[in-house]
Amino acid sequence: MLDTKLIDGKAHAAKLRSDVAARAAALKAERGIVPGLCTVLVGDDPASQIYVRSKGKASIEAGFASFEEKLSAQSGEAELLTLIARLNRDDRVDGILVQLPLPSQINRQSVIDAIDPEKDVDGFHAQNVGGLWSGGPALIPCTPYGCLLLLHATQPKLSGVEAVIIGRSNLVGKPMAALLLREDCTVTLAHSKSRALPAIARRADILVVAAGHAELVRGDWLKPGAVVIDVGINRIDLPGGKSRIVGDVAFAEAQGIAAAITPVPGGVGPMTIACLLRNTLLAACLRRGLPAPPIG
Ligand code: NAP
């Protein structure tokens, strides 16, 4: 039985946030630049409201300028595109984050395409996606980048390692594959149509799971000694009208088999916001032709 190590996302995120805050303070003191992050919320989805509020709070804690734009759930695409065009021109804003999901009358891709790639702190714009895959400069999506930082903290050298990712979304799985390829891993990207998924997973020295399926990955899917990054966030109902958040990996079953695993909550989630702050600081520097700050 292995002594499975817990990868403490909260502690790693706190360190990254404090590094970002120190760099932001230096940028202000030396050049008078205050990085600015603007969140855009369309509609009144309760979960999105919580996410937007916590991103605003984290921005202020990092010493950034925090802006918030809200549109009603009935707003049309043209209204949102006009707002984005204004934010693209606003020099106080270095990062634009449009909270997803958007109401059905708005085309998500049109909105992503409209954001100035230099302010695209989510890293979803085609220019940033292309940069990531081709090895050029890019703002990298926050969640997979946070996963990579957690992996590096556990296993500094990833070259030659067999990595399996379950989930191929543009938000998590695909950019994660690009990042691990960049690290010289041998990458398998699995999805809902993949055959013999447990056997694929069992090949993995590194297993990243972003499927959105509660406890999909069982203990016997894991190679002994694997490092497991669980991106999933799933609410499951419990008796008595209660509920609990679980990941995409059966956490208890992984104990004694995995070398290390991220908990849910407290693993990947906190890294996502920390990486958003990092991207905003990076955007504030790169937009002005300044060198990238050496953090993360
Ligand atoms: P998504 O867009 O729904 O994509 C899910 C992916 O998983 C798809 O590629 C899908 O395959 C695959 N999949 C679904 N069920 C599967 C199964 N039974 N076997 C194999 N593959 C399966 O989701 P997402 O945005 O990537 O998010 C994934 C999870 O991560 C969700 O729980 C989400 O809440 C969580 N998340 C967490 C954070 C964080 O900060 N911690 C950030 C983002 C997302 P197909 O392509 O074939 O449909």
Side-chain angles (χ1 to χ4, degrees):
M1 280 272 278
L2 277 169
D3 185 13
T4 302
K5 187 175 157 247
L6 205 64
I7 305 173
D8 186 348
K10 271 193 206 160
H12 287 289
K15 167 80 171 68
L16 179 55
R17 285 171 65 159
S18 105
D19 289 351
V20 168
R23 289 278 160 186
L27 201 59
K28 187 177 178 187
E30 290 160 16
R31 299 182 183 267
I33 297 168
V34 177
L37 175 67
C38 185
T39 56
V40 179
L41 177 65
V42 186
D44 37 30
D45 174 61
S48 294
Q49 285 175 337
I50 293 170
Y51 291 142
V52 161
R53 217 175 306 134
S54 61
K55 286 165 186 170
K57 186 167 167 275
S59 296
I60 291 166
E61 284 168 8
F64 294 0
S66 172
F67 309 97
E68 200 177 304
E69 297 284 349
K70 283 187 181 160
L71 296 181
S72 78
Q74 290 73 40
S75 302
E77 192 175 298
E79 196 180 340
L80 178 54
L81 294 182
T82 303
L83 169 60
I84 289 171
R86 173 162 70 72
L87 297 175
N88 283 343
R89 290 191 303 272
D90 189 336
D91 205 39
R92 299 168 306 162
V93 174
D94 296 294
I96 301 169
L97 185 142
V98 178
Q99 186 63 46
L100 301 175
L102 290 166
S104 57
Q105 73 275 16
I106 299 178
N107 180 286
R108 181 169 93 170
Q109 197 55 48
S110 309
V111 173
I112 291 170
D113 292 347
I115 297 173
D116 179 347
E118 292 190 334
K119 297 189 177 190
D120 168 38
V121 284
D122 262 334
F124 297 157
H125 191 284
Q127 188 172 311
N128 284 315
V129 175
L132 172 60
W133 281 99
S134 64
L139 288 167
I140 295 168
C142 303
T143 299
Y145 194 68
C147 294
L148 182 69
L149 294 180
L150 293 179
L151 282 168
H152 269 308
T154 314
Q155 197 170 330
K157 205 173 161 298
L158 300 176
S159 177
V161 160
E162 189 90 36
V164 173
I165 302 155
I166 302 181
R168 58 174 165 180
S169 70
N170 289 338
L171 270 70
V172 188
K174 285 184 199 159
M176 191 75 239
L179 283 170
L180 290 173
L181 265 183
R182 216 172 65 168
E183 297 291 321
D184 296 327
C185 293
T186 303
V187 178
T188 302
L189 188 53
H191 46 79
S192 70
K193 310 289 186 297
S194 296
R195 287 193 214 124
L197 194 56
I200 295 172
R202 266 193 294 273
R203 293 206 308 258
D205 301 310
I206 285 174
L207 181 65
V208 180
V209 193
H213 184 131
E215 301 184 330
L216 170 73
V217 174
R218 312 309 308 188
D220 63 0
W221 292 31
L222 301 177
K223 177 177 178 176
V227 176
V228 181
I229 304 289
D230 189 352
V231 183
I233 302 175
N234 311 285
R235 185 174 290 280
I236 54 167
D237 294 329
L238 297 173
K242 294 191 177 147
S243 67
R244 188 162 72 91
I245 300 289
V246 300
D248 286 351
V249 180
F251 184 79
E253 293 179 21
Q255 301 305 311
I257 304 171
I261 185 168
T262 53
V264 177
V268 174
M271 289 301 284
T272 297
I273 289 195
C275 289
L276 173 68
L277 300 176
R278 174 215 174 251
N279 272 359
T280 305
L281 178 71
L282 191 62
C285 293
L286 297 183
R287 234 166 50 76
R288 293 172 174 87
L290 300 173
I295 44 166

